[in-house]
Amino acid sequence: MQANRMFLPAMAAAMLLGSGALGGCAFGVGGDGDGAASDRTGEAGDPAYAKFEEPVVLRIGFKIPDARLTTGDTNDNNPMSRYLERMTNVKVVHSWEAKGDDAFWQQAELAVASSDLPDALVVNRELLDRLVSRGLVEDLGATFERYGSRLVKDLYDSTGGKALAEATFGGKLYGLPNVAIEADAMSLLWVRQDWLDRLGLAAPATPDDIGRVARAFVERDPDGNGKRDTVGLAGFKGVVYGQKPNVGGFDSVFGAYRAFPKNWIRGADGRLVYGSIAPENKEALAKLAEWYKLGLIDPRFALYKEPQEPIVTNRAGLFFGPWWMPYWPLSEAVATDTKAEWRAYAAPVDAAGKFATHLAPVTDRYLVVRRGYEHPEAVVKLLNFFTRLERRQDPNAEEVKLIDEFAARTGIQPRAYYPFDLLIDDADAIMRRYEGVQSALRGKLTPDRLDPDTRKVYESTIEEEANPKKDLDGWKEAQAYKYGVGALIEAPMVKVRSEFYGTTETMKAKWAELEKLENETFLNIIVGDLPVGAFDGFVEEWMRLGGERITREVELAIAADPMP
């Protein structure tokens, strides 16, 4: 169990999904009468879905979503909250509310520091560790065993035991974790395919290929407007995201040189090293500096407040990002230029022709229950119900219809008003759904055998092929799976997982300074304010300022508590 493992401070922005995720049947195929589906959704008498006879009050800390309720509803009284209360007889009360991620984590930090916890709260690794060490949260082991639904247990099982192990201390389960989708950790190269075709260029595969395409996009007027106003490669001023990527990160360029910054990895000699100081980074930085000097990377990339700016304005022809980029920001770009055609490639590949990528932790958030709260099973039941709904396996058709109608009428996703921001899915859900859609498209199975979410992707794909870009919501889904997930499915891949996601004692005092040094050095080398050789001095300074001691602490933590 990772009793001392917390996230490194540099985490990527959250992923924006367009639909609920797969329930867990192989290849997105639904139940076929063998009882599996009913076992997962709950039979009469199943304690996982049994309604409390008397009302139960549950006080929580709530993250206010960006969505705005305009129908007279409130954050704690809306179609989603009313549905859950009808189903469970649990009255959820907001002890406090915070707008957005930063404000929520600040409020959660304050609640933990003051030992003034609501009855239930979503926390990160560091807060979980502190809560457990101070004895402030309930052991949920027996409660989850009795009241956890078959569906939720199956989704946790998809991680091979890793997710629950991350929340287990001394054999006791102190939190219910989310489950990250493995595909979210990989950053693809997204390319304006219509520009490639207009210029007669082949899809890029190697770093040199990317440089050639970027040069053509800058110099050869790919949009045909007679002006030299296009950008080759868009970028993110933070350079790399490190675990869960987002728009514009250069993580995959580093991967092509077998460098994995912001991850704890084994070097060529088998010794543990912080990935950002490994010598392979120097090659990646040299390539990026070369591209920037030649004008192949957007010259203004370090100045943008948001890295998607040249993408949504249809000036960029290349950028890196995960499989779900069609949901955003490409949906904005295509809405303003419907001629734009984007494709994803697992590039650049390394010298062996393989796409090398880091992975992300299987979980990074935990739903905890205040020690002494009388009804911890209420928290588990709520998780059961909204997970079943999110996975499109809720048998209460009329109730689901009302929620779907609300979503269609307002444009608000129901998950924005779940009591807890904690989604659970199969670790390989995205890949499974892709395989299910492809099987149906090839006639290997009939669409009625697909689970609801996979069938929705299938239908979006069929409609998009028949009427391209007529329905941009359908376009997002079809493109993300066809090209984003498709590129991951087809790529020969090397996957590297960080061996440590935590915070040591020295990190608590030194990490912010070390991370600032790293980020500034990487960016300054790329834009030419420092020579590539400055990387060697950065490594020495990083070690001197606390990195050497932190590395020893990480080695000891891993030796004492190896990952499951």
Side-chain angles (χ1 to χ4, degrees):
M1 166 40 242
Q2 281 63 40
N4 295 313
R5 292 187 180 168
M6 315 300 138
F7 260 145
L8 300 179
M11 282 304 297
M15 185 182 89
L16 176 64
L17 281 172
S19 66
L22 176 65
C25 299
F27 303 111
V29 180
D32 56 4
D34 62 0
S38 61
D39 287 346
R40 290 162 68 92
T41 57
E43 296 285 2
D46 182 352
Y49 296 102
K51 185 176 181 178
F52 285 101
E53 293 183 4
E54 298 294 330
V56 170
V57 175
L58 176 71
R59 294 176 173 81
I60 69 169
F62 183 73
K63 185 178 78 172
I64 302 173
D66 292 332
R68 287 189 176 184
L69 292 164
T70 58
T71 56
D73 295 311
T74 63
N75 291 331
D76 58 359
N77 186 1
N78 53 68
M80 192 68 251
S81 68
R82 291 192 289 271
Y83 161 76
L84 290 172
E85 187 170 350
R86 285 194 298 272
M87 293 292 102
T88 64
N89 209 12
V90 176
K91 173 67 174 177
V92 175
V93 176
H94 294 179
S95 291
W96 49 262
E97 297 180 345
K99 178 73 172 180
D101 286 337
D102 289 345
F104 177 84
W105 291 119
Q106 289 171 6
Q107 189 69 39
E109 173 80 28
L110 179 62
V112 174
S114 63
S115 301
D116 184 17
L117 296 175
D119 299 327
L121 182 66
V122 172
V123 299
N124 58 21
R125 289 172 185 258
E126 184 174 358
L127 293 178
L128 175 66
D129 185 71
R130 287 161 57 186
L131 287 167
V132 172
S133 65
R134 293 167 58 190
L136 296 177
V137 287
E138 284 283 342
D139 171 11
L140 298 175
T143 303
F144 181 67
E145 179 60 31
R146 173 166 172 73
Y147 293 100
S149 69
R150 183 71 266 154
L151 172 60
V152 170
K153 289 176 179 177
D154 283 350
L155 296 177
Y156 283 147
D157 287 346
S158 76
T159 70
K162 292 184 177 68
L164 289 178
E166 290 283 337
T168 302
F169 294 69
K172 295 181 179 181
L173 180 68
Y174 286 103
L176 300 174
N178 67 332
V179 175
I181 296 172
E182 183 178 277
D184 292 349
M186 304 161 191
S187 189
L188 298 161
L189 178 67
W190 289 87
V191 183
R192 276 290 295 260
Q193 187 68 37
D194 54 318
W195 289 7
L196 272 185
D197 294 342
R198 182 177 292 123
L199 299 180
L201 301 171
T206 67
D208 287 343
D209 291 341
I210 293 174
R212 282 192 289 270
V213 170
R215 181 187 290 274
F217 283 176
V218 170
E219 298 177 351
R220 294 174 55 190
D221 189 24
D223 59 359
N225 69 353
K227 302 176 182 178
R228 185 163 172 165
D229 59 356
T230 48
V231 168
L233 179 63
F236 164 54
K237 63 184 176 183
V239 183
V240 296
Y241 288 99
Q243 288 161 9
K244 284 188 179 180
N246 209 300
V247 179
F250 296 112
D251 303 55
S252 296
V253 177
F254 285 84
Y257 297 93
R258 295 298 181 92
F260 304 97
K262 300 190 185 296
N263 288 266
W264 289 91
I265 61 171
R266 295 287 169 184
D269 58 1
R271 298 178 64 183
L272 183 74
V273 62
Y274 179 56
S276 300
I277 68 168
E280 291 83 0
N281 288 282
K282 198 171 181 178
E283 294 180 82
L285 289 167
K287 178 57 68 175
L288 290 168
E290 173 191 324
W291 286 350
Y292 185 84
K293 184 176 181 179
L294 294 172
L296 310 185
I297 295 176
D298 184 356
R300 295 179 55 84
F301 89 95
L303 304 177
Y304 293 127
K305 183 177 180 181
E306 301 291 345
Q308 73 272 12
E309 199 167 320
I311 300 166
V312 300
T313 55
N314 291 293
R315 293 184 294 113
L318 300 161
F319 75 97
F320 293 99
W323 68 273
W324 47 269
M325 291 289 92
Y327 288 110
W328 179 89
L330 292 183
S331 55
E332 289 190 33
V334 172
T336 58
D337 181 5
T338 56
K339 299 187 298 297
E341 294 288 344
W342 287 91
R343 300 291 183 268
Y345 298 93
V349 295
D350 64 14
K354 295 184 177 181
F355 182 65
T357 179
H358 58 66
L359 296 180
V362 296
T363 181
D364 60 1
R365 281 171 292 157
Y366 310 85
L367 175 56
V368 298
V369 177
R370 174 181 59 80
R371 186 174 181 181
Y373 177 61
E374 293 181 354
H375 295 287
E377 71 275 16
V379 178
V380 178
K381 286 174 183 283
L382 287 169
L383 179 65
N384 295 338
F385 272 95
F386 71 71
T387 299
R388 184 174 70 174
L389 180 69
E390 181 70 18
R391 301 283 77 82
R392 308 296 294 182
Q393 295 191 24
D394 195 319
N396 300 293
E398 289 303 313
E399 295 280 1
V400 173
K401 181 180 178 183
L402 291 174
I403 293 171
D404 286 345
E405 288 174 349
F406 166 77
R409 184 173 67 254
T410 64
I412 295 173
Q413 293 187 352
R415 70 166 66 97
Y417 289 95
Y418 293 165
F420 310 110
D421 182 13
L422 194 94
L423 295 183
I424 303 174
D425 203 347
D426 281 304
D428 62 350
I430 300 304
M431 304 299 196
R432 288 188 181 200
R433 188 177 298 139
Y434 175 89
E435 294 289 359
V437 170
Q438 293 303 308
S439 293
L441 290 173
R442 294 167 185 159
K444 293 183 178 180
L445 54 83
T446 57
D448 60 357
R449 291 201 61 222
L450 299 175
D451 72 83
D453 282 319
T454 306
R455 183 163 183 173
K456 185 172 182 289
V457 177
Y458 168 80
E459 291 170 349
S460 294
T461 302
I462 293 295
E463 179 60 27
E464 176 60 23
E465 290 179 355
N467 299 289
K469 296 174 183 160
K470 183 177 181 181
D471 174 13
L472 277 184
D473 284 335
W475 176 90
K476 299 174 191 176
E477 196 163 55
Q479 299 286 298
Y481 281 92
K482 183 175 182 178
Y483 297 116
V485 183
L488 294 175
I489 290 282
E490 297 169 3
M493 199 174 297
V494 175
K495 301 176 183 179
V496 175
R497 187 182 297 278
S498 180
E499 298 201 18
F500 184 79
Y501 295 115
T503 298
T504 69
E505 283 303 311
T506 304
M507 277 183 180
K508 293 175 183 178
K510 294 290 188 179
W511 196 255
E513 180 184 5
L514 291 173
E515 188 173 49
K516 182 174 184 288
L517 173 66
E518 173 188 339
N519 294 343
E520 290 180 350
T521 302
F522 278 32
L523 180 60
N524 286 334
I525 288 174
I526 292 170
V527 302
D529 290 344
L530 287 175
V532 175
F535 177 79
D536 299 327
F538 152 71
V539 173
E540 293 176 2
E541 184 74 354
W542 189 91
M543 295 293 280
R544 186 185 67 80
L545 290 176
E548 184 174 11
R549 183 172 180 178
I550 288 170
T551 302
R552 290 197 301 270
E553 291 174 348
V554 172
E555 288 174 331
L556 290 172
I558 292 174
D561 189 16
M563 279 202 171

